[in-house]
């Protein structure tokens, strides 16, 4: 699939011009806690992946049709997001917010 996917991890939120431009993608896959920052920056997730121990309840409720709960504690939320993209044949991926 040639959709440009951005995975937003729950590290330091991007502040440089280039990653901020990538966030204009319609396909932002958020790791659990990263969705809080994304929504506070007036952007919407395409999908939210994780065990949902960090995403605010009101965000989970608003985007419940986009939440994919994966409880496997042997994988972190970034690994779960990559697995989810692979399973859904999404392979044009940029990872943001993976530092901090």
């Amino acid at each position: 699939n040639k959709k440009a996917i951005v995975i937003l991890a729950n590290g330091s939120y991007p502040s440089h011009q280039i990653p901020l431009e990538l966030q204009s993608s319609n396909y932002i896959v958020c790791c659990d806690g990263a969705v809080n920052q994304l929504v506070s920056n007036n952007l919407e997730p395409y999908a939210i992946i994780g065990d949902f121990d960090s995403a605010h309840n009101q965000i989970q409720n608003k985007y419940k049709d986009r939440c994919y709960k994966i409880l496997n504690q042997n994988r972190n939320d970034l690994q779960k997001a990559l697995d989810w993209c692979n399973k859904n044949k999404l392979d044009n991926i940029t990872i943001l917010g993976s530092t901090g």
Side-chain angles (χ1 to χ4, degrees):
N1 195 320
K2 297 303 176 201
K3 294 176 185 171
I5 305 297
V6 172
I7 294 179
L8 183 61
N10 197 22
S12 297
Y13 194 81
S15 59
H16 189 276
Q17 179 75 20
I18 294 171
L20 289 175
E21 288 173 8
L22 287 172
Q23 288 183 93
S24 65
S25 168
N26 290 329
Y27 303 102
I28 301 174
V29 176
C30 281
C31 295
D32 181 359
V35 73
N36 300 324
Q37 284 276 42
L38 184 80
V39 170
S40 72
N41 281 281
N42 299 314
L43 296 168
E44 292 197 352
Y46 174 69
I48 308 166
I49 312 295
D51 57 8
F52 292 88
D53 62 345
S54 302
H56 296 149
N57 287 334
Q58 65 270 29
I59 292 173
Q60 290 182 50
N61 290 334
K62 181 176 181 178
Y63 299 109
K64 62 185 168 207
D65 62 327
R66 303 174 194 189
C67 291
Y68 300 91
K69 193 170 194 172
I70 302 169
L71 296 175
N72 182 350
Q73 294 304 314
N74 294 321
R75 313 274 293 161
N76 65 41
D77 288 340
L78 178 55
Q79 292 168 321
K80 293 172 188 179
L82 287 165
D83 292 344
W84 184 86
C85 287
N86 185 46
K87 179 181 174 184
N88 288 282
K89 301 188 183 340
L90 303 171
D91 57 10
N92 184 10
I93 299 169
T94 301
I95 299 172
L96 300 177
S98 63
T99 62

XYZ file of all heavy atoms in Angstrom:
787
model
N 0.844 -1.175 0.000
C 0.000 0.000 0.000
C 0.886 1.234 0.000
O 1.833 1.319 0.755
C -0.897 -0.045 1.227
C -2.048 0.924 1.143
O -1.878 2.042 0.673
N -3.186 0.502 1.599
N 0.581 2.219 -0.804
C 1.438 3.395 -0.965
C 1.007 4.585 -0.124
O 1.507 5.682 -0.303
C 1.489 3.796 -2.445
C 2.118 2.722 -3.310
C 3.513 2.394 -2.836
C 4.102 1.256 -3.638
N 5.187 0.595 -2.964
N 0.054 4.399 0.798
C -0.313 5.480 1.694
C 0.909 5.871 2.515
O 1.636 5.007 2.994
C -1.421 5.044 2.652
C -2.737 4.750 1.995
C -3.728 4.237 3.029
C -5.018 3.830 2.370
N -5.921 3.150 3.292
N 1.134 7.162 2.685
C 2.233 7.637 3.527
C 1.765 7.595 4.983
O 0.939 8.394 5.399
C 2.639 9.039 3.130
N 2.277 6.642 5.718
C 1.894 6.425 7.111
C 2.903 7.097 8.033
O 4.107 6.979 7.839
C 1.863 4.913 7.437
C 0.962 4.154 6.470
C 1.479 4.672 8.894
C -0.480 4.535 6.510
N 2.398 7.794 9.041
C 3.247 8.333 10.095
C 2.872 7.603 11.373
O 1.699 7.575 11.752
C 3.041 9.855 10.283
C 3.782 10.351 11.514
C 3.497 10.614 9.036
N 3.863 6.975 12.009
C 3.642 6.397 13.336
C 4.186 7.405 14.334
O 5.347 7.800 14.258
C 4.349 5.042 13.515
C 3.734 3.989 12.593
C 4.248 4.591 14.978
C 4.393 2.628 12.682
N 3.328 7.836 15.235
C 3.739 8.774 16.275
C 3.911 8.010 17.577
O 2.940 7.511 18.150
C 2.696 9.885 16.438
C 3.048 10.967 17.449
C 4.337 11.698 17.065
C 1.899 11.961 17.575
N 5.168 7.884 18.000
C 5.483 7.206 19.258
C 5.314 8.192 20.409
O 5.163 9.403 20.194
C 6.909 6.662 19.209
N 5.369 7.689 21.613
C 5.108 8.514 22.794
C 6.384 9.057 23.415
O 6.505 9.165 24.618
C 4.298 7.716 23.825
C 3.649 8.609 24.854
O 3.443 9.786 24.617
N 3.312 8.036 25.994
N 7.350 9.432 22.575
C 8.562 10.091 23.053
C 8.379 11.595 22.985
O 7.267 12.101 23.107
N 9.472 12.307 22.738
C 9.390 13.762 22.603
C 8.581 14.123 21.361
O 8.847 13.612 20.274
C 10.790 14.368 22.501
O 11.502 14.128 23.687
N 7.611 15.006 21.540
C 6.759 15.407 20.422
C 7.593 16.212 19.431
O 8.393 17.060 19.819
C 5.575 16.228 20.935
C 4.483 16.391 19.910
C 3.561 15.378 19.704
C 4.391 17.535 19.140
C 2.559 15.507 18.760
C 3.392 17.671 18.196
C 2.480 16.655 18.007
O 1.502 16.784 17.061
N 7.439 15.948 18.135
C 8.244 16.634 17.116
C 8.065 18.158 17.165
O 6.955 18.652 17.372
C 7.699 16.088 15.796
C 6.988 14.834 16.151
C 6.506 14.996 17.548
N 9.179 18.865 16.951
C 9.112 20.322 16.947
C 9.781 20.918 15.709
O 9.583 22.085 15.416
C 9.767 20.886 18.208
O 11.120 20.485 18.285
N 10.565 20.153 14.991
C 11.250 20.643 13.792
C 10.271 20.737 12.628
O 9.312 19.956 12.540
C 12.412 19.699 13.444
C 13.298 20.219 12.371
N 13.019 20.060 11.034
C 14.454 20.913 12.446
C 13.964 20.628 10.318
N 14.851 21.152 11.163
N 10.512 21.653 11.714
C 9.625 21.907 10.575
C 9.324 20.651 9.754
O 8.192 20.395 9.389
C 10.265 22.978 9.671
C 9.464 23.317 8.431
C 8.249 24.171 8.734
O 8.169 24.807 9.769
N 7.295 24.167 7.836
N 10.336 19.847 9.457
C 10.135 18.683 8.577
C 9.188 17.660 9.193
O 8.206 17.274 8.567
C 11.483 18.059 8.157
C 12.231 19.064 7.269
C 11.276 16.731 7.434
C 13.660 18.672 6.945
N 9.418 17.207 10.437
C 8.447 16.244 10.986
C 7.066 16.854 11.201
O 6.062 16.156 11.086
C 9.059 15.780 12.300
C 10.141 16.725 12.609
C 10.556 17.361 11.320
N 7.008 18.143 11.479
C 5.695 18.769 11.634
C 4.930 18.743 10.318
O 3.717 18.555 10.304
C 5.835 20.199 12.154
C 6.281 20.319 13.614
C 6.494 21.781 13.991
C 5.286 19.664 14.554
N 5.621 18.895 9.199
C 4.973 18.807 7.890
C 4.487 17.387 7.612
O 3.427 17.196 7.010
C 5.927 19.264 6.789
C 6.164 20.760 6.776
C 7.230 21.196 5.791
O 7.703 20.355 4.989
O 7.591 22.382 5.820
N 5.242 16.378 8.051
C 4.826 14.992 7.865
C 3.526 14.692 8.602
O 2.759 13.835 8.198
C 5.918 14.032 8.343
C 7.150 13.910 7.467
C 8.215 13.093 8.164
C 6.793 13.301 6.127
N 3.279 15.438 9.657
C 2.060 15.208 10.435
C 0.806 15.617 9.682
O -0.294 15.332 10.126
C 2.122 15.957 11.758
C 3.093 15.325 12.725
C 3.058 16.048 14.019
O 2.323 15.659 14.908
N 3.820 17.102 14.127
N 0.971 16.270 8.553
C -0.211 16.629 7.762
C -0.779 15.405 7.051
O -1.810 15.480 6.399
C 0.138 17.730 6.753
O 1.067 17.234 5.802
N -0.111 14.264 7.198
C -0.600 13.014 6.634
C -1.992 12.701 7.173
O -2.312 12.985 8.323
C 0.346 11.863 7.001
O -0.239 10.617 6.709
N -2.821 12.120 6.335
C -4.138 11.672 6.785
C -4.055 10.326 7.483
O -5.067 9.798 7.916
C -5.096 11.564 5.593
C -5.463 12.922 5.055
O -5.528 13.896 5.790
N -5.691 12.989 3.765
N -2.862 9.766 7.555
C -2.682 8.418 8.090
C -1.668 8.427 9.232
O -0.556 7.945 9.100
C -2.252 7.465 6.975
C -3.252 7.450 5.852
C -3.021 8.146 4.676
C -4.464 6.774 5.987
C -3.957 8.152 3.649
C -5.406 6.781 4.977
C -5.147 7.467 3.814
O -6.088 7.483 2.809
N -2.080 9.000 10.361
C -1.223 9.029 11.544
C -1.662 7.904 12.472
O -2.785 7.895 12.982
C -1.307 10.381 12.277
C -0.896 11.519 11.332
C -0.423 10.355 13.523
C -1.085 12.902 11.923
N -0.767 6.950 12.663
C -0.993 5.838 13.570
C -0.298 6.203 14.877
O 0.915 6.377 14.901
C -0.421 4.519 12.985
C -0.564 3.391 13.984
C -1.114 4.185 11.670
N -1.076 6.345 15.930
C -0.530 6.779 17.218
C -0.315 5.604 18.144
O -1.187 4.749 18.279
C -1.498 7.733 17.910
S -1.452 9.379 17.277
N 0.821 5.620 18.798
C 1.001 4.730 19.925
C 0.154 5.304 21.052
O -0.004 6.530 21.166
C 2.461 4.670 20.328
S 3.517 3.949 19.062
N -0.396 4.445 21.831
C -1.295 4.736 22.947
C -1.170 6.163 23.516
O -2.028 7.001 23.281
C -1.014 3.667 23.996
C -1.843 3.760 25.242
O -2.661 4.674 25.364
O -1.667 2.893 26.100
N -0.147 6.480 24.243
C -0.030 7.782 24.905
C 0.234 8.946 23.970
O -0.051 10.095 24.308
N 0.767 8.689 22.792
C 1.088 9.757 21.846
C -0.151 10.464 21.337
O -0.094 11.625 20.930
C 1.888 9.196 20.677
N -1.284 9.789 21.366
C -2.515 10.398 20.854
C -2.905 11.627 21.676
O -3.495 12.562 21.151
C -3.665 9.368 20.783
C -4.204 9.027 22.158
C -4.768 9.860 19.861
N -2.547 11.671 22.945
C -2.860 12.835 23.778
C -2.211 14.094 23.203
O -2.858 15.133 23.082
C -2.403 12.605 25.218
C -3.060 11.403 25.852
O -4.218 11.096 25.606
N -2.309 10.692 26.667
N -0.928 13.998 22.849
C -0.206 15.137 22.267
C -0.745 15.477 20.888
O -0.866 16.638 20.531
C 1.295 14.832 22.173
C 1.991 14.920 23.489
C 2.386 16.357 23.809
O 1.639 17.316 23.595
N 3.575 16.502 24.328
N -1.035 14.456 20.098
C -1.533 14.682 18.747
C -2.824 15.496 18.784
O -2.954 16.517 18.098
C -1.780 13.356 18.029
C -2.202 13.500 16.573
C -0.990 13.770 15.698
C -2.939 12.273 16.099
N -3.765 15.065 19.595
C -5.062 15.737 19.688
C -4.893 17.144 20.254
O -5.557 18.081 19.804
C -6.055 14.891 20.522
C -7.317 15.657 20.845
C -6.385 13.606 19.769
N -3.977 17.323 21.197
C -3.756 18.665 21.759
C -3.143 19.606 20.724
O -3.171 20.819 20.896
C -2.897 18.604 23.023
O -1.560 18.307 22.709
N -2.618 19.064 19.631
C -2.085 19.866 18.524
C -3.074 19.939 17.355
O -2.698 20.207 16.226
C -0.730 19.312 18.070
C 0.377 19.740 18.998
O 0.853 20.857 18.922
N 0.763 18.863 19.908
N -4.340 19.663 17.667
C -5.442 19.782 16.696
C -5.302 18.879 15.483
O -5.687 19.247 14.378
C -5.613 21.241 16.260
C -5.954 22.136 17.424
O -6.809 21.790 18.232
N -5.278 23.256 17.531
N -4.764 17.679 15.698
C -4.669 16.680 14.644
C -5.456 15.449 15.075
O -5.708 15.252 16.268
C -3.205 16.315 14.374
C -2.354 17.473 13.825
C -0.890 17.114 13.872
C -2.778 17.818 12.416
N -5.844 14.632 14.103
C -6.633 13.446 14.412
C -5.886 12.178 14.021
O -5.219 12.151 12.983
C -7.969 13.490 13.672
C -8.883 14.571 14.181
C -10.323 14.359 13.755
O -10.601 13.455 12.944
O -11.170 15.105 14.254
N -6.018 11.131 14.809
C -5.365 9.866 14.496
C -6.132 9.065 13.448
O -7.359 9.141 13.386
C -5.373 9.128 15.832
C -6.624 9.618 16.497
C -6.745 11.065 16.089
N -5.400 8.335 12.646
C -5.999 7.349 11.735
C -6.290 6.075 12.519
O -7.305 5.424 12.325
C -5.030 7.085 10.585
C -5.434 6.003 9.631
C -6.524 6.167 8.781
C -4.721 4.813 9.563
C -6.896 5.176 7.897
C -5.079 3.820 8.677
C -6.165 4.002 7.839
O -6.527 3.010 6.963
N -5.358 5.747 13.420
C -5.498 4.564 14.277
C -4.724 4.830 15.569
O -3.768 5.603 15.573
C -4.956 3.321 13.594
N -5.170 4.201 16.641
C -4.480 4.275 17.930
C -4.204 2.835 18.357
O -5.120 2.019 18.425
C -5.335 4.988 18.989
C -5.834 6.345 18.468
C -4.538 5.163 20.292
C -6.947 6.950 19.311
N -2.933 2.558 18.648
C -2.503 1.191 18.936
C -1.867 1.131 20.319
O -1.061 1.997 20.673
C -1.439 0.722 17.911
C -1.851 1.017 16.478
C -1.070 -0.734 18.138
C -3.050 0.295 15.983
N -2.185 0.108 21.090
C -1.504 -0.095 22.362
C -2.389 -0.782 23.381
O -3.444 -1.319 23.052
N -1.947 -0.732 24.636
C -2.713 -1.367 25.709
C -3.635 -0.368 26.405
O -4.376 -0.726 27.297
C -1.790 -2.052 26.715
C -0.766 -1.108 27.320
O -0.842 0.117 27.082
O 0.116 -1.607 28.036
N -3.584 0.881 25.981
C -4.455 1.951 26.458
C -4.319 2.228 27.949
O -5.284 2.494 28.643
C -5.909 1.721 26.027
C -6.038 1.872 24.536
C -5.840 0.785 23.701
C -6.290 3.101 23.981
C -5.898 0.918 22.328
C -6.350 3.255 22.612
C -6.162 2.167 21.783
N -3.066 2.228 28.394
C -2.783 2.605 29.772
C -2.444 4.089 29.875
O -2.334 4.620 30.970
C -1.653 1.752 30.352
C -0.331 1.934 29.613
O -0.327 2.477 28.495
O 0.710 1.519 30.157
N -2.308 4.782 28.729
C -1.881 6.178 28.741
C -2.827 7.138 28.032
O -2.853 8.320 28.356
C -0.500 6.310 28.083
O 0.446 5.504 28.740
N -3.573 6.684 27.056
C -4.475 7.568 26.311
C -5.600 8.035 27.236
O -6.178 7.238 27.966
C -5.056 6.847 25.106
N -5.888 9.327 27.199
C -6.961 9.872 28.028
C -8.299 9.243 27.655
O -8.570 8.973 26.482
C -7.047 11.391 27.866
C -5.824 12.105 28.343
N -5.390 13.272 27.794
C -4.927 11.805 29.316
C -4.295 13.680 28.402
N -3.985 12.802 29.326
N -9.128 9.018 28.655
C -10.423 8.355 28.452
C -11.307 9.071 27.442
O -11.959 8.423 26.618
C -11.168 8.200 29.783
C -10.557 7.140 30.661
O -9.916 6.206 30.167
N -10.735 7.271 31.959
N -11.354 10.412 27.494
C -12.219 11.141 26.566
C -11.731 10.981 25.131
O -12.555 10.931 24.201
C -12.362 12.624 26.950
C -11.105 13.454 26.863
C -10.285 13.481 28.136
O -10.297 12.543 28.925
N -9.547 14.548 28.343
N -10.435 10.843 24.925
C -9.893 10.613 23.577
C -10.249 9.196 23.133
O -10.659 8.979 21.990
C -8.375 10.867 23.543
C -8.100 12.366 23.753
C -7.766 10.373 22.233
C -6.641 12.728 23.898
N -10.106 8.228 24.029
C -10.480 6.847 23.698
C -11.946 6.767 23.301
O -12.298 6.070 22.351
C -10.222 5.919 24.885
C -8.756 5.686 25.177
C -8.570 4.720 26.325
O -9.161 3.643 26.337
N -7.761 5.092 27.299
N -12.799 7.485 24.024
C -14.229 7.473 23.707
C -14.512 8.138 22.360
O -15.305 7.626 21.573
C -15.029 8.157 24.813
C -15.058 7.341 26.087
O -14.927 6.123 26.052
N -15.196 8.015 27.212
N -13.868 9.265 22.102
C -14.099 9.996 20.853
C -13.672 9.176 19.639
O -14.328 9.190 18.606
C -13.349 11.324 20.872
C -13.561 12.151 19.626
C -12.883 13.502 19.710
C -13.157 14.297 18.440
N -12.554 15.631 18.513
N -12.554 8.463 19.764
C -11.991 7.712 18.638
C -12.107 6.205 18.824
O -11.279 5.448 18.323
C -10.523 8.116 18.433
C -10.353 9.572 18.100
C -9.810 10.459 19.018
C -10.747 10.067 16.862
C -9.655 11.796 18.714
C -10.599 11.402 16.547
C -10.051 12.267 17.477
O -9.912 13.602 17.166
N -13.136 5.742 19.520
C -13.255 4.314 19.833
C -13.268 3.432 18.591
O -12.833 2.290 18.637
C -14.469 4.049 20.713
C -15.788 4.396 20.100
C -16.915 4.202 21.100
C -18.170 4.845 20.547
N -19.058 5.250 21.607
N -13.711 3.972 17.456
C -13.723 3.189 16.216
C -12.336 3.073 15.586
O -12.144 2.335 14.637
C -14.701 3.801 15.207
C -14.328 5.218 14.801
O -13.778 5.973 15.647
O -14.581 5.592 13.645
N -11.363 3.769 16.168
C -9.988 3.749 15.647
C -9.003 3.154 16.653
O -7.799 3.217 16.442
C -9.532 5.170 15.311
C -10.440 5.871 14.326
C -10.029 7.301 14.152
N -11.091 8.038 13.480
C -10.967 9.263 13.025
N -9.833 9.905 13.174
N -11.958 9.856 12.430
N -9.513 2.637 17.748
C -8.662 2.080 18.808
C -8.470 0.583 18.592
O -9.440 -0.150 18.431
C -9.294 2.316 20.176
S -9.329 4.039 20.685
N -7.228 0.165 18.623
C -6.879 -1.248 18.460
C -6.074 -1.662 19.687
O -4.885 -1.372 19.791
C -6.100 -1.464 17.162
C -6.902 -1.050 15.962
C -6.826 0.245 15.464
C -7.790 -1.940 15.359
C -7.588 0.643 14.380
C -8.564 -1.549 14.274
C -8.454 -0.261 13.793
O -9.230 0.137 12.722
N -6.756 -2.299 20.608
C -6.141 -2.688 21.873
C -5.374 -3.986 21.695
O -5.931 -5.000 21.281
C -7.215 -2.848 22.943
C -6.683 -2.946 24.336
C -7.811 -2.846 25.348
C -7.261 -2.596 26.724
N -8.325 -2.317 27.686
N -4.090 -3.923 22.014
C -3.206 -5.084 21.931
C -2.536 -5.215 23.294
O -1.738 -4.364 23.683
C -2.166 -4.920 20.803
C -2.893 -4.707 19.469
C -1.243 -6.132 20.752
C -1.992 -4.286 18.331
N -2.866 -6.262 24.007
C -2.434 -6.401 25.398
C -1.079 -7.073 25.579
O -0.594 -7.150 26.693
C -3.502 -7.161 26.194
C -4.845 -6.442 26.308
C -5.863 -7.337 27.000
C -4.690 -5.125 27.038
N -0.451 -7.555 24.537
C 0.825 -8.259 24.630
C 1.879 -7.389 25.318
O 2.385 -6.429 24.739
C 1.297 -8.652 23.225
C 2.596 -9.423 23.238
O 3.272 -9.537 24.259
N 2.949 -9.966 22.085
N 2.226 -7.717 26.564
C 3.188 -6.924 27.320
C 4.637 -7.254 26.968
O 5.558 -6.652 27.511
C 2.933 -7.097 28.818
C 1.613 -6.526 29.271
C 1.441 -5.044 28.923
O 2.334 -4.234 29.131
N 0.291 -4.696 28.360
N 4.844 -8.200 26.049
C 6.194 -8.500 25.574
C 6.613 -7.575 24.443
O 7.744 -7.651 23.973
C 6.290 -9.961 25.116
C 6.107 -10.928 26.272
O 6.584 -10.682 27.373
N 5.382 -12.001 26.027
N 5.700 -6.733 23.977
C 5.965 -5.779 22.894
C 5.582 -4.393 23.388
O 4.564 -4.220 24.044
C 5.132 -6.104 21.647
C 5.125 -7.536 21.198
C 6.225 -7.950 20.308
N 6.158 -7.318 18.999
C 7.216 -7.251 18.206
N 8.358 -7.757 18.576
N 7.126 -6.686 17.025
N 6.423 -3.393 23.060
C 6.033 -2.036 23.426
C 5.058 -1.496 22.386
O 4.814 -2.123 21.352
C 7.265 -1.132 23.624
C 8.064 -0.919 22.354
O 7.511 -0.735 21.270
N 9.379 -0.925 22.485
N 4.498 -0.316 22.642
C 3.448 0.205 21.760
C 3.974 0.521 20.358
O 3.249 0.371 19.384
C 2.784 1.430 22.386
C 1.907 1.066 23.576
O 1.514 -0.112 23.686
O 1.603 1.956 24.384
N 5.224 0.929 20.232
C 5.787 1.173 18.904
C 5.886 -0.134 18.117
O 5.519 -0.193 16.943
C 7.157 1.850 19.002
C 7.869 2.120 17.685
C 7.007 2.938 16.720
C 9.203 2.825 17.939
N 6.339 -1.198 18.766
C 6.392 -2.502 18.107
C 4.990 -2.961 17.712
O 4.793 -3.498 16.620
C 7.047 -3.537 19.035
C 8.522 -3.286 19.267
C 9.075 -4.129 20.399
O 8.417 -4.336 21.425
N 10.293 -4.610 20.229
N 4.021 -2.731 18.586
C 2.637 -3.101 18.284
C 2.121 -2.314 17.082
O 1.413 -2.865 16.228
C 1.740 -2.854 19.494
C 2.031 -3.770 20.668
C 1.234 -3.347 21.895
C 1.649 -4.129 23.120
N 0.913 -3.710 24.327
N 2.455 -1.022 16.997
C 2.022 -0.188 15.865
C 2.662 -0.676 14.567
O 1.996 -0.752 13.527
C 2.365 1.271 16.123
N 3.940 -1.035 14.620
C 4.612 -1.570 13.425
C 3.984 -2.901 13.009
O 3.752 -3.135 11.820
C 6.110 -1.731 13.678
C 6.897 -0.427 13.724
C 8.282 -0.654 14.329
C 7.010 0.184 12.330
N 3.703 -3.755 13.976
C 3.037 -5.033 13.686
C 1.670 -4.798 13.042
O 1.305 -5.469 12.075
C 2.852 -5.865 14.966
C 4.157 -6.377 15.561
O 5.195 -6.367 14.861
O 4.131 -6.770 16.744
N 0.901 -3.837 13.587
C -0.426 -3.529 13.061
C -0.335 -3.034 11.615
O -1.103 -3.463 10.759
C -1.119 -2.500 13.952
C -2.522 -2.192 13.552
C -3.649 -2.868 13.917
C -2.957 -1.147 12.680
N -4.756 -2.291 13.333
C -4.356 -1.233 12.572
C -2.299 -0.125 11.988
C -5.112 -0.350 11.803
C -3.048 0.753 11.216
C -4.432 0.639 11.131
N 0.643 -2.154 11.349
C 0.829 -1.657 9.978
C 1.204 -2.799 9.042
O 0.667 -2.902 7.932
C 1.907 -0.572 9.945
S 1.367 0.998 10.650
N 2.094 -3.664 9.480
C 2.501 -4.808 8.672
C 1.308 -5.710 8.375
O 1.092 -6.122 7.234
C 3.611 -5.581 9.384
C 4.163 -6.704 8.544
O 4.443 -6.525 7.361
N 4.331 -7.861 9.160
N 0.515 -5.997 9.393
C -0.672 -6.846 9.236
C -1.659 -6.239 8.238
O -2.326 -6.950 7.498
C -1.350 -7.033 10.591
C -2.598 -7.867 10.557
C -3.212 -7.975 11.941
C -4.547 -8.696 11.876
N -5.209 -8.739 13.169
N -1.732 -4.899 8.207
C -2.654 -4.203 7.316
C -1.997 -3.758 6.005
O -2.552 -2.940 5.281
C -3.269 -3.006 8.051
C -4.260 -3.457 9.087
O -5.387 -3.809 8.763
N -3.845 -3.506 10.349
N -0.807 -4.324 5.749
C -0.072 -4.090 4.503
C 0.204 -2.608 4.250
O 0.159 -2.129 3.124
C -0.788 -4.728 3.326
C -0.954 -6.242 3.505
C -1.473 -6.916 2.282
C -1.720 -8.388 2.416
N -1.111 -9.155 3.419
N 0.514 -1.890 5.322
C 0.910 -0.491 5.245
C 2.423 -0.456 5.437
O 2.920 -0.798 6.510
C 0.205 0.318 6.338
C -1.321 0.253 6.320
C -1.893 0.895 7.566
C -1.872 0.907 5.067
N 3.140 -0.079 4.382
C 4.590 -0.208 4.485
C 5.382 1.058 4.162
O 6.593 1.073 4.251
C 5.081 -1.361 3.607
C 4.697 -1.212 2.151
O 4.205 -0.144 1.749
O 4.876 -2.185 1.404
N 4.738 2.142 3.818
C 5.418 3.409 3.555
C 5.343 4.226 4.846
O 4.498 5.091 5.012
C 4.740 4.126 2.385
C 5.439 5.402 2.002
O 6.528 5.699 2.466
N 4.793 6.184 1.163
N 6.249 3.922 5.797
C 6.127 4.392 7.183
C 7.269 5.323 7.566
O 8.429 5.056 7.295
C 6.119 3.187 8.156
C 4.915 2.302 7.849
C 6.123 3.636 9.589
C 4.937 0.968 8.563
N 6.903 6.411 8.242
C 7.859 7.295 8.906
C 7.517 7.281 10.383
O 6.342 7.412 10.752
C 7.746 8.739 8.365
O 7.997 8.744 6.974
C 8.735 9.662 9.063
N 8.536 7.117 11.236
C 8.321 7.097 12.685
C 8.757 8.428 13.269
O 9.889 8.877 13.031
C 9.104 5.943 13.349
C 8.623 4.597 12.787
C 8.959 5.988 14.872
C 9.461 3.416 13.223
N 7.869 9.057 14.023
C 8.168 10.303 14.715
C 7.953 10.105 16.214
O 7.187 9.246 16.628
C 7.244 11.430 14.237
C 7.285 11.790 12.761
C 6.248 12.869 12.455
C 8.669 12.243 12.353
N 8.621 10.938 17.024
C 8.395 10.900 18.461
C 8.963 9.685 19.150
O 8.473 9.294 20.202
N 10.006 9.122 18.588
C 10.558 7.906 19.188
C 11.778 8.201 20.078
O 12.470 7.286 20.493
C 10.935 6.895 18.105
O 11.944 7.426 17.274
N 12.032 9.467 20.375
C 13.162 9.844 21.237
C 12.648 10.554 22.468
O 11.494 10.971 22.537
C 14.128 10.778 20.485
O 13.417 11.965 20.135
C 14.691 10.125 19.242
N 13.527 10.705 23.423
C 13.156 11.520 24.591
C 13.349 10.816 25.882
O 13.708 9.682 25.984
